[in-house]
Amino acid sequence: MAFWDGLWPRREAQFESGNAATNSIVLSKRHATVSLTKQGALTGNLRVNLSWRMRTSDIEGRSRQSGRLLRPFKLFQPDVVQAHTQGVVNVDLDLGCMYELKDGTKGVVQPLGNLIGDLNGPPYIRLSGDDRFGAPSGETVYVNLDQRDQIKRLLFFVYIYDRTPAFDRTHAKVTLYPGNGPRIEIELDERAPQARSCAVFTVENVKDELIVRREVKFVYGFQSELDRLYGWGMQWGRGYKSRA
């Protein structure tokens, strides 16, 4: 892509539906859905990964602007560090999944309450680990697509646990890795400084076709507000994590 293409985002829109160089599909506002069925990704485990980095500009302010004037191309290269770097911001992003099965069973898989789920039995969803520091591996949730006929709908979300809201300072991305076909990427690129939670994407079983839809809707509350927004109808209470 030419340098000037980066200055006019509309010129790049045609590439948002896929990236041949990285074998990925990027979901955006313009291209918000993809069919796992049509991608042939209906067996094995769907791996959903959350990763993030933090911007340093919040603590450095304009202290580097003079240096950037000497190197103007640096203006288009934001400084980032890993989220666990001390002194930037103390943030703990968590990945969760609300589920509704075909038999009407509803629930949530998330670090809070140690609700890690089960991959081989209902709900056929399991959380693998809790990344509290923004490690490169991030957090991962697995969905057993061999049991896709049991799943009615899923809502994957990200929330900030017990910390000051910092979505506006966080470069977060959720990536789906099907057992077959290209990976699917969703950037949490809409700034919402006071938001504490974000509905990232849904998976719906529509006439035996699994449809992934980008949401990226920020809310100022937590899981209960996402529940009301998407009509899950569950009861929520205060949850805590075990000490690391």
Side-chain angles (χ1 to χ4, degrees), residues 101-187:
L101 303 182
K102 288 287 187 68
D103 65 4
T105 302
K106 298 178 182 179
V108 63
V109 171
Q110 64 179 17
L112 279 180
N114 197 34
L115 301 172
I116 62 173
D118 189 333
L119 197 58
N120 298 312
Y124 310 107
I125 305 163
R126 184 176 176 86
L127 172 69
S128 177
D130 175 19
D131 171 27
R132 303 190 182 188
F133 305 104
S137 60
E139 289 191 5
T140 301
V141 171
Y142 293 90
V143 180
N144 185 350
L145 292 184
D146 291 332
Q147 300 294 330
R148 62 189 179 279
D149 292 341
Q150 308 299 321
I151 297 172
K152 180 178 180 180
R153 60 173 178 158
L154 309 174
L155 169 63
F156 279 85
F157 60 93
V158 173
Y159 62 97
I160 296 176
Y161 173 74
D162 199 27
R163 295 290 186 268
T164 302
F167 274 117
D168 62 322
R169 290 174 282 170
T170 306
H171 292 275
K173 178 171 68 174
V174 173
T175 307
L176 291 69
Y177 297 91
N180 183 53
R183 68 179 183 266
I184 302 166
E185 299 178 352
I186 304 173
E187 299 274 357

Coordinates of all heavy atoms in Angstrom, one line a residue, residues 101-187:
L101 N -27.7 -22.1 24.7 CA -27.7 -23.4 23.9 C -29.1 -23.6 23.4 O -30.1 -23.0 23.7 CB -27.3 -24.5 24.9 CG -25.9 -24.4 25.5 CD1 -25.6 -25.6 26.3 CD2 -24.8 -24.1 24.5
K102 N -29.2 -24.6 22.5 CA -30.5 -24.9 21.8 C -31.5 -25.4 22.8 O -32.7 -25.2 22.6 CB -30.2 -26.0 20.8 CG -29.5 -25.5 19.5 CD -30.4 -24.6 18.6 CE -29.7 -24.3 17.3 NZ -29.6 -25.5 16.4
D103 N -31.1 -26.0 23.9 CA -32.1 -26.4 24.9 C -32.5 -25.4 25.9 O -33.2 -25.6 26.8 CB -31.5 -27.6 25.7 CG -30.3 -27.3 26.6 OD1 -29.9 -26.1 26.6 OD2 -29.7 -28.2 27.2
G104 N -32.1 -24.1 25.7 CA -32.5 -23.0 26.5 C -31.5 -22.6 27.6 O -31.7 -21.6 28.3
T105 N -30.5 -23.5 27.8 CA -29.5 -23.2 28.9 C -28.7 -21.9 28.5 O -28.3 -21.7 27.4 CB -28.5 -24.4 29.0 OG1 -29.2 -25.5 29.3 CG2 -27.5 -24.1 30.1
K106 N -28.6 -21.0 29.5 CA -27.9 -19.8 29.4 C -26.8 -19.7 30.5 O -27.0 -20.2 31.6 CB -28.8 -18.6 29.5 CG -29.8 -18.5 28.4 CD -30.7 -17.3 28.5 CE -31.8 -17.3 27.5 NZ -32.7 -16.1 27.7
G107 N -25.7 -19.0 30.2 CA -24.7 -18.8 31.2 C -23.6 -18.0 30.6 O -23.7 -17.3 29.6
V108 N -22.5 -17.9 31.4 CA -21.3 -17.1 31.0 C -20.0 -17.9 31.3 O -20.0 -18.6 32.3 CB -21.4 -15.7 31.7 CG1 -21.3 -15.9 33.2 CG2 -20.2 -14.8 31.1
V109 N -19.0 -17.7 30.5 CA -17.7 -18.2 30.7 C -16.8 -17.0 30.8 O -16.8 -16.1 29.9 CB -17.2 -19.1 29.6 CG1 -15.7 -19.4 29.7 CG2 -18.0 -20.4 29.5
Q110 N -16.1 -16.8 32.0 CA -15.3 -15.7 32.2 C -14.4 -15.9 33.4 O -14.6 -16.8 34.2 CB -16.2 -14.4 32.5 CG -17.0 -14.6 33.8 CD -17.9 -13.4 34.1 OE1 -18.2 -12.6 33.2 NE2 -18.4 -13.3 35.3
P111 N -13.3 -15.1 33.6 CA -12.4 -15.2 34.7 C -13.1 -15.0 36.1 O -12.9 -15.6 37.0 CB -11.3 -14.2 34.5 CG -11.3 -14.0 33.0 CD -12.8 -14.1 32.6
L112 N -14.0 -14.0 36.1 CA -14.7 -13.7 37.3 C -15.5 -14.9 37.8 O -16.3 -15.5 37.0 CB -15.7 -12.5 37.1 CG -15.1 -11.1 37.2 CD1 -16.2 -10.0 37.0 CD2 -14.4 -10.9 38.6
G113 N -15.4 -15.2 39.1 CA -16.1 -16.4 39.6 C -15.5 -17.7 39.2 O -16.1 -18.8 39.5
N114 N -14.4 -17.7 38.5 CA -13.7 -18.9 38.0 C -14.7 -19.7 37.2 O -14.7 -21.0 37.2 CB -13.2 -19.7 39.2 CG -12.2 -20.8 38.7 OD1 -11.4 -20.5 37.8 ND2 -12.2 -21.9 39.4
L115 N -15.5 -19.0 36.3 CA -16.4 -19.7 35.4 C -15.7 -20.1 34.1 O -15.8 -19.4 33.1 CB -17.6 -18.8 35.2 CG -18.4 -18.4 36.4 CD1 -19.4 -17.3 36.1 CD2 -19.1 -19.6 37.1
I116 N -14.9 -21.2 34.2 CA -14.0 -21.5 33.0 C -14.7 -22.3 32.0 O -14.2 -22.5 30.9 CB -12.7 -22.2 33.5 CG1 -13.1 -23.5 34.2 CG2 -12.0 -21.2 34.4 CD1 -11.8 -24.3 34.6
G117 N -15.9 -22.9 32.3 CA -16.6 -23.7 31.3 C -16.1 -25.1 31.1 O -15.3 -25.6 31.9
D118 N -16.6 -25.7 30.1 CA -16.2 -27.1 29.8 C -16.2 -27.3 28.3 O -17.2 -26.9 27.6 CB -17.3 -28.1 30.4 CG -16.8 -29.5 30.3 OD1 -16.1 -29.9 29.4 OD2 -17.2 -30.3 31.2
L119 N -15.2 -27.9 27.7 CA -15.1 -28.0 26.2 C -15.8 -29.2 25.7 O -16.3 -29.2 24.6 CB -13.6 -28.0 25.8 CG -13.3 -27.7 24.4 CD1 -13.9 -26.3 23.9 CD2 -11.8 -27.7 24.1
N120 N -15.8 -30.3 26.5 CA -16.3 -31.6 26.1 C -17.7 -31.8 26.5 O -18.4 -32.8 26.0 CB -15.4 -32.7 26.5 CG -14.0 -32.6 25.9 OD1 -13.8 -32.4 24.7 ND2 -13.0 -32.7 26.8
G121 N -18.2 -31.0 27.4 CA -19.6 -31.1 27.8 C -20.2 -29.7 27.8 O -19.5 -28.7 27.5
P122 N -21.5 -29.5 28.0 CA -22.1 -28.2 28.0 C -21.4 -27.2 28.9 O -21.0 -27.6 30.0 CB -23.5 -28.5 28.6 CG -23.8 -29.9 28.2 CD -22.5 -30.6 28.4
P123 N -21.1 -26.0 28.5 CA -21.6 -25.4 27.3 C -20.7 -25.5 26.1 O -20.9 -24.8 25.1 CB -21.6 -23.9 27.7 CG -20.4 -23.7 28.6 CD -20.4 -25.1 29.4
Y124 N -19.7 -26.4 26.1 CA -18.8 -26.7 25.0 C -17.9 -25.4 24.7 O -17.5 -25.2 23.6 CB -19.6 -27.1 23.7 CG -20.5 -28.2 24.0 CD1 -21.9 -27.9 24.0 CD2 -20.1 -29.5 24.3 CE1 -22.8 -28.9 24.3 CE2 -21.0 -30.5 24.6 CZ -22.4 -30.2 24.6 OH -23.3 -31.2 24.9
I125 N -17.7 -24.7 25.8 CA -16.8 -23.5 25.7 C -15.9 -23.5 26.9 O -16.4 -23.8 28.0 CB -17.7 -22.2 25.8 CG1 -18.8 -22.2 24.6 CG2 -16.8 -20.9 25.7 CD1 -19.9 -21.2 24.8
R126 N -14.7 -23.1 26.8 CA -13.8 -23.2 27.9 C -12.8 -22.0 27.8 O -12.2 -21.7 26.8 CB -13.0 -24.5 28.0 CG -12.1 -24.6 29.2 CD -11.5 -26.0 29.3 NE -10.5 -26.0 30.5 CZ -10.9 -26.3 31.7 NH1 -12.1 -26.6 32.0 NH2 -10.0 -26.4 32.7
L127 N -12.6 -21.4 29.0 CA -11.6 -20.3 29.1 C -10.2 -20.9 29.5 O -10.2 -21.8 30.4 CB -12.0 -19.3 30.2 CG -11.0 -18.3 30.6 CD1 -10.8 -17.2 29.5 CD2 -11.4 -17.5 31.9
S128 N -9.2 -20.5 28.8 CA -7.9 -21.0 29.1 C -7.0 -19.9 29.7 O -6.5 -19.0 28.9 CB -7.2 -21.5 27.8 OG -5.9 -21.9 28.0
G129 N -6.9 -19.8 31.0 CA -6.1 -18.9 31.6 C -6.7 -17.5 31.8 O -7.7 -17.2 31.2
D130 N -6.0 -16.7 32.6 CA -6.5 -15.3 32.8 C -5.2 -14.4 32.8 O -4.4 -14.4 33.7 CB -7.2 -15.2 34.2 CG -7.5 -13.7 34.6 OD1 -7.5 -12.9 33.7 OD2 -7.7 -13.5 35.8
D131 N -5.1 -13.7 31.7 CA -3.9 -12.8 31.5 C -4.2 -11.5 32.2 O -5.1 -10.7 31.8 CB -3.7 -12.6 30.0 CG -2.6 -11.5 29.8 OD1 -1.8 -11.3 30.7 OD2 -2.7 -10.9 28.7
R132 N -3.5 -11.2 33.3 CA -3.8 -9.9 34.0 C -2.8 -8.8 33.7 O -2.9 -7.7 34.2 CB -3.7 -10.2 35.6 CG -4.7 -11.3 36.0 CD -4.8 -11.4 37.5 NE -5.7 -12.5 37.9 CZ -6.1 -12.7 39.1 NH1 -5.6 -12.0 40.1 NH2 -6.9 -13.7 39.4
F133 N -1.8 -9.1 32.8 CA -0.8 -8.1 32.6 C -0.5 -7.8 31.1 O 0.4 -7.1 30.8 CB 0.5 -8.6 33.2 CG 0.4 -9.0 34.7 CD1 0.4 -10.3 35.1 CD2 0.3 -7.9 35.6 CE1 0.2 -10.6 36.4 CE2 0.2 -8.3 37.0 CZ 0.1 -9.6 37.4
G134 N -1.4 -8.3 30.2 CA -1.2 -8.0 28.8 C 0.0 -8.7 28.2 O 0.7 -8.2 27.4
A135 N 0.2 -10.0 28.6 CA 1.2 -10.8 28.0 C 1.0 -11.0 26.5 O -0.2 -10.9 26.1 CB 1.4 -12.1 28.7
P136 N 2.0 -11.2 25.7 CA 1.8 -11.4 24.3 C 0.8 -12.5 23.9 O 0.1 -12.4 22.9 CB 3.2 -11.8 23.8 CG 4.1 -11.1 24.7 CD 3.4 -11.2 26.1
S137 N 0.7 -13.5 24.8 CA -0.3 -14.6 24.5 C -1.7 -14.2 24.7 O -2.6 -14.8 24.2 CB 0.1 -15.9 25.3 OG 0.0 -15.5 26.7
G138 N -1.9 -13.2 25.6 CA -3.3 -12.7 25.9 C -4.2 -13.7 26.6 O -3.7 -14.6 27.3
E139 N -5.5 -13.6 26.4 CA -6.4 -14.6 26.9 C -7.1 -15.3 25.8 O -7.4 -14.7 24.7 CB -7.5 -13.8 27.8 CG -6.9 -13.3 29.1 CD -8.1 -12.8 30.0 OE1 -9.2 -13.0 29.7 OE2 -7.7 -12.3 31.1
T140 N -7.5 -16.6 26.1 CA -8.1 -17.4 25.0 C -9.3 -18.1 25.5 O -9.3 -18.7 26.6 CB -7.0 -18.4 24.5 OG1 -5.9 -17.7 24.0 CG2 -7.6 -19.3 23.4
V141 N -10.3 -18.2 24.7 CA -11.5 -19.0 24.9 C -11.7 -19.9 23.7 O -11.5 -19.5 22.6 CB -12.8 -18.1 25.0 CG1 -14.0 -19.0 25.1 CG2 -12.7 -17.2 26.3
Y142 N -12.0 -21.2 24.1 CA -12.1 -22.2 23.0 C -13.6 -22.6 22.9 O -14.3 -22.7 23.9 CB -11.3 -23.5 23.3 CG -9.8 -23.3 23.3 CD1 -9.1 -22.9 24.4 CD2 -9.1 -23.5 22.1 CE1 -7.7 -22.7 24.4 CE2 -7.7 -23.3 22.0 CZ -7.1 -22.9 23.2 OH -5.7 -22.7 23.1
V143 N -14.1 -22.8 21.7 CA -15.4 -23.2 21.4 C -15.3 -24.5 20.6 O -14.7 -24.6 19.6 CB -16.2 -22.2 20.6 CG1 -17.7 -22.7 20.3 CG2 -16.3 -20.9 21.3
N144 N -16.0 -25.6 21.1 CA -16.0 -26.9 20.4 C -17.0 -26.9 19.3 O -18.2 -27.1 19.5 CB -16.3 -28.0 21.4 CG -16.2 -29.4 20.8 OD1 -16.1 -29.5 19.6 ND2 -16.3 -30.4 21.7
L145 N -16.5 -26.7 18.1 CA -17.4 -26.6 16.9 C -18.0 -28.0 16.5 O -18.9 -28.0 15.7 CB -16.7 -25.9 15.7 CG -16.4 -24.4 15.9 CD1 -15.8 -23.9 14.7 CD2 -17.7 -23.6 16.3
D146 N -17.4 -29.0 17.0 CA -18.0 -30.3 16.8 C -19.4 -30.5 17.4 O -20.2 -31.3 17.0 CB -17.1 -31.4 17.3 CG -15.8 -31.5 16.5 OD1 -15.8 -31.2 15.3 OD2 -14.8 -32.0 17.0
Q147 N -19.6 -29.6 18.4 CA -20.9 -29.6 19.1 C -21.7 -28.3 18.7 O -22.6 -27.8 19.4 CB -20.7 -29.6 20.6 CG -20.0 -30.8 21.1 CD -20.8 -32.0 20.9 OE1 -22.0 -32.0 20.9 NE2 -20.1 -33.2 20.8
R148 N -21.5 -27.8 17.5 CA -22.1 -26.6 17.0 C -23.7 -26.7 17.0 O -24.4 -25.7 17.1 CB -21.6 -26.2 15.6 CG -21.9 -27.2 14.6 CD -21.2 -26.9 13.3 NE -21.5 -27.9 12.2 CZ -20.8 -29.0 12.1 NH1 -19.9 -29.3 13.0 NH2 -21.1 -29.9 11.2
D149 N -24.2 -27.9 16.8 CA -25.6 -28.1 16.7 C -26.3 -27.8 18.1 O -27.5 -27.6 18.1 CB -26.0 -29.5 16.3 CG -25.6 -29.8 14.8 OD1 -25.4 -28.8 14.1 OD2 -25.5 -30.9 14.4
Q150 N -25.5 -27.8 19.1 CA -26.0 -27.5 20.5 C -26.0 -26.1 20.8 O -26.6 -25.7 21.8 CB -25.2 -28.3 21.5 CG -25.0 -29.8 21.3 CD -26.3 -30.5 21.3 OE1 -27.2 -30.2 22.1 NE2 -26.4 -31.5 20.3
I151 N -25.4 -25.2 20.0 CA -25.2 -23.8 20.3 C -26.2 -23.0 19.5 O -26.4 -23.1 18.3 CB -23.8 -23.4 19.9 CG1 -22.8 -24.1 20.8 CG2 -23.6 -21.9 20.1 CD1 -21.3 -23.9 20.4
K152 N -26.9 -22.1 20.2 CA -27.9 -21.2 19.6 C -27.2 -19.9 19.3 O -27.3 -19.4 18.1 CB -29.1 -21.0 20.5 CG -30.1 -20.0 19.8 CD -31.4 -19.9 20.7 CE -32.4 -19.0 20.1 NZ -33.6 -18.8 21.0
R153 N -26.6 -19.3 20.3 CA -25.9 -18.0 20.1 C -24.8 -17.8 21.1 O -24.9 -18.3 22.2 CB -26.9 -16.8 20.1 CG -27.7 -16.7 21.3 CD -28.5 -15.4 21.3 NE -29.3 -15.2 22.5 CZ -29.8 -14.1 23.0 NH1 -29.5 -13.0 22.3 NH2 -30.5 -14.0 24.1
L154 N -23.8 -17.0 20.8 CA -22.7 -16.6 21.7 C -22.5 -15.1 21.6 O -22.7 -14.5 20.5 CB -21.4 -17.3 21.3 CG -21.5 -18.9 21.1 CD1 -20.1 -19.4 20.6 CD2 -21.9 -19.5 22.4
L155 N -22.1 -14.5 22.7 CA -21.7 -13.1 22.7 C -20.4 -13.0 23.4 O -20.2 -13.3 24.6 CB -22.7 -12.2 23.4 CG -22.3 -10.8 23.8 CD1 -22.0 -10.0 22.5 CD2 -23.3 -10.1 24.6
F156 N -19.3 -12.7 22.6 CA -18.0 -12.5 23.2 C -17.8 -11.0 23.6 O -18.2 -10.1 22.8 CB -16.9 -12.9 22.2 CG -16.7 -14.4 22.2 CD1 -17.5 -15.2 21.4 CD2 -15.7 -15.0 22.9 CE1 -17.3 -16.6 21.3 CE2 -15.5 -16.3 22.9 CZ -16.3 -17.1 22.1
F157 N -17.3 -10.8 24.8 CA -17.2 -9.4 25.3 C -15.8 -9.3 26.0 O -15.2 -10.2 26.4 CB -18.3 -9.1 26.2 CG -18.5 -9.9 27.4 CD1 -17.9 -9.6 28.6 CD2 -19.2 -11.1 27.3 CE1 -18.0 -10.4 29.7 CE2 -19.4 -12.0 28.4 CZ -18.7 -11.6 29.6
V158 N -15.4 -8.0 26.1 CA -14.2 -7.7 26.9 C -14.6 -6.6 27.9 O -15.4 -5.7 27.7 CB -13.1 -7.1 25.9 CG1 -11.9 -6.6 26.7 CG2 -12.7 -8.1 24.9
Y159 N -14.1 -6.8 29.1 CA -14.4 -5.8 30.2 C -13.1 -5.5 31.0 O -12.1 -6.3 31.0 CB -15.5 -6.3 31.1 CG -15.2 -7.6 31.8 CD1 -14.7 -7.6 33.2 CD2 -15.4 -8.9 31.2 CE1 -14.4 -8.8 33.8 CE2 -15.1 -10.0 31.9 CZ -14.6 -10.0 33.2 OH -14.3 -11.2 33.8
I160 N -13.1 -4.4 31.6 CA -12.0 -4.0 32.5 C -12.3 -4.4 33.9 O -13.4 -3.9 34.5 CB -11.7 -2.5 32.4 CG1 -11.3 -2.1 31.0 CG2 -10.7 -2.0 33.4 CD1 -11.1 -0.6 30.7
Y161 N -11.5 -5.2 34.5 CA -11.8 -5.7 35.9 C -11.2 -4.8 36.9 O -10.0 -4.6 37.0 CB -11.2 -7.1 36.1 CG -11.3 -7.6 37.5 CD1 -12.5 -8.0 38.0 CD2 -10.2 -7.6 38.3 CE1 -12.6 -8.4 39.3 CE2 -10.3 -8.1 39.6 CZ -11.5 -8.5 40.1 OH -11.6 -8.9 41.4
D162 N -12.0 -4.1 37.7 CA -11.6 -3.4 39.0 C -10.5 -2.4 38.7 O -9.6 -2.3 39.5 CB -11.2 -4.5 40.0 CG -11.2 -3.8 41.4 OD1 -11.9 -2.9 41.6 OD2 -10.4 -4.3 42.3
R163 N -10.5 -1.7 37.6 CA -9.5 -0.7 37.4 C -10.2 0.5 36.7 O -11.3 0.5 36.3 CB -8.4 -1.3 36.4 CG -7.6 -2.4 36.9 CD -6.7 -2.0 38.0 NE -5.8 -3.1 38.5 CZ -6.1 -3.9 39.4 NH1 -7.2 -3.8 40.1 NH2 -5.2 -4.9 39.8
T164 N -9.4 1.6 36.6 CA -9.9 2.8 36.0 C -10.1 2.5 34.5 O -9.3 1.9 33.8 CB -8.9 3.9 36.1 OG1 -8.6 4.2 37.5 CG2 -9.4 5.2 35.4
P165 N -11.3 2.9 33.9 CA -11.5 2.7 32.5 C -10.3 3.2 31.7 O -9.8 4.3 31.9 CB -12.8 3.5 32.2 CG -13.5 3.6 33.6 CD -12.4 3.7 34.6
A166 N -9.9 2.4 30.7 CA -8.8 2.8 29.9 C -8.9 2.3 28.4 O -7.9 2.1 27.8 CB -7.5 2.3 30.5
F167 N -10.1 2.0 28.0 CA -10.2 1.6 26.6 C -9.6 2.6 25.6 O -9.2 2.2 24.5 CB -11.7 1.3 26.2 CG -12.2 -0.1 26.6 CD1 -13.2 -0.2 27.6 CD2 -11.6 -1.2 26.1 CE1 -13.6 -1.5 27.9 CE2 -12.0 -2.5 26.4 CZ -13.0 -2.6 27.3
D168 N -9.7 3.8 25.9 CA -9.2 4.8 25.0 C -7.7 4.8 24.9 O -7.1 5.4 24.0 CB -9.7 6.2 25.4 CG -9.2 6.7 26.8 OD1 -9.1 5.8 27.7 OD2 -8.8 7.8 26.9
R169 N -7.0 4.2 25.8 CA -5.5 4.1 25.8 C -5.1 2.7 25.5 O -3.9 2.3 25.6 CB -5.0 4.5 27.2 CG -5.1 6.0 27.4 CD -4.7 6.3 28.9 NE -5.7 6.0 29.8 CZ -5.5 6.0 31.1 NH1 -4.3 6.3 31.6 NH2 -6.5 5.7 31.9
T170 N -6.0 1.8 25.0 CA -5.7 0.4 24.8 C -5.9 0.0 23.4 O -6.9 0.3 22.8 CB -6.6 -0.5 25.7 OG1 -6.5 -0.1 27.0 CG2 -6.2 -1.9 25.5
H171 N -4.8 -0.5 22.8 CA -4.9 -1.1 21.4 C -5.3 -2.6 21.6 O -4.4 -3.4 21.8 CB -3.6 -1.0 20.7 CG -3.2 0.4 20.4 ND1 -3.6 1.1 19.2 CD2 -2.4 1.3 21.0 CE1 -3.1 2.3 19.2 NE2 -2.4 2.5 20.3
A172 N -6.5 -2.9 21.6 CA -7.0 -4.2 21.9 C -7.5 -4.9 20.6 O -8.1 -4.2 19.7 CB -8.1 -4.3 22.9
K173 N -7.3 -6.2 20.4 CA -7.7 -6.9 19.3 C -8.2 -8.3 19.7 O -7.6 -8.9 20.5 CB -6.6 -7.0 18.2 CG -7.0 -7.8 17.0 CD -5.9 -7.7 15.9 CE -4.6 -8.4 16.3 NZ -3.7 -8.4 15.2
V174 N -9.3 -8.7 19.1 CA -9.8 -10.1 19.3 C -9.6 -10.8 18.0 O -10.1 -10.3 16.9 CB -11.3 -10.1 19.8 CG1 -11.8 -11.5 19.8 CG2 -11.4 -9.4 21.2
T175 N -9.0 -12.0 18.0 CA -8.7 -12.7 16.8 C -9.4 -14.1 17.0 O -9.2 -14.8 18.0 CB -7.2 -12.9 16.6 OG1 -6.6 -11.6 16.6 CG2 -7.0 -13.6 15.3
L176 N -10.1 -14.6 15.9 CA -10.7 -15.9 15.9 C -9.8 -16.8 15.0 O -9.5 -16.4 13.9 CB -12.1 -15.8 15.3 CG -13.2 -15.2 16.1 CD1 -13.0 -13.7 16.2 CD2 -14.6 -15.5 15.5
Y177 N -9.5 -17.9 15.6 CA -8.7 -18.9 14.8 C -9.5 -20.2 14.6 O -9.5 -21.0 15.5 CB -7.4 -19.2 15.6 CG -6.5 -18.1 15.8 CD1 -6.5 -17.3 16.9 CD2 -5.5 -17.8 14.8 CE1 -5.7 -16.2 17.1 CE2 -4.6 -16.7 15.0 CZ -4.7 -15.9 16.2 OH -3.8 -14.9 16.3
P178 N -10.2 -20.3 13.5 CA -11.0 -21.5 13.2 C -10.0 -22.7 13.0 O -8.8 -22.5 12.7 CB -11.8 -21.2 12.0 CG -11.7 -19.7 11.8 CD -10.4 -19.3 12.4
G179 N -10.6 -23.9 13.1 CA -9.7 -25.1 12.8 C -9.4 -25.2 11.3 O -8.4 -25.8 11.0
N180 N -10.1 -24.5 10.5 CA -9.9 -24.5 9.0 C -10.2 -23.1 8.5 O -11.2 -22.5 8.9 CB -10.7 -25.6 8.3 CG -10.4 -25.6 6.9 OD1 -9.2 -25.8 6.5 ND2 -11.4 -25.5 6.0
G181 N -9.4 -22.6 7.5 CA -9.7 -21.3 6.9 C -9.0 -20.2 7.6 O -8.2 -20.4 8.6
P182 N -9.1 -19.0 7.1 CA -8.3 -17.8 7.6 C -8.8 -17.4 9.0 O -9.9 -17.6 9.4 CB -8.6 -16.7 6.5 CG -10.0 -17.1 6.0 CD -10.0 -18.6 6.0
R183 N -7.9 -16.7 9.7 CA -8.3 -16.2 11.0 C -9.1 -14.9 10.7 O -9.1 -14.3 9.6 CB -7.1 -15.8 11.8 CG -6.2 -14.7 11.3 CD -5.0 -14.4 12.2 NE -4.2 -13.3 11.8 CZ -3.1 -13.4 11.0 NH1 -2.7 -14.6 10.6 NH2 -2.5 -12.3 10.7
I184 N -9.9 -14.5 11.8 CA -10.8 -13.4 11.7 C -10.4 -12.4 12.7 O -10.3 -12.8 13.9 CB -12.2 -13.9 11.9 CG1 -12.6 -14.9 10.8 CG2 -13.2 -12.7 11.8 CD1 -13.9 -15.6 11.1
E185 N -10.1 -11.1 12.4 CA -9.6 -10.1 13.3 C -10.7 -9.0 13.5 O -11.3 -8.6 12.6 CB -8.3 -9.5 12.8 CG -7.2 -10.6 12.6 CD -6.0 -9.9 12.0 OE1 -6.0 -8.7 11.6 OE2 -4.9 -10.6 12.0
I186 N -10.8 -8.6 14.8 CA -11.7 -7.5 15.1 C -10.9 -6.6 16.0 O -10.5 -6.9 17.1 CB -13.0 -8.0 15.8 CG1 -13.7 -9.0 15.0 CG2 -13.9 -6.8 16.2 CD1 -14.9 -9.7 15.7
E187 N -10.7 -5.3 15.6 CA -10.1 -4.3 16.4 C -11.1 -3.6 17.2 O -12.1 -3.2 16.8 CB -9.3 -3.3 15.5 CG -8.3 -3.9 14.6 CD -6.9 -4.1 15.3 OE1 -6.8 -3.6 16.4 OE2 -6.0 -4.6 14.7

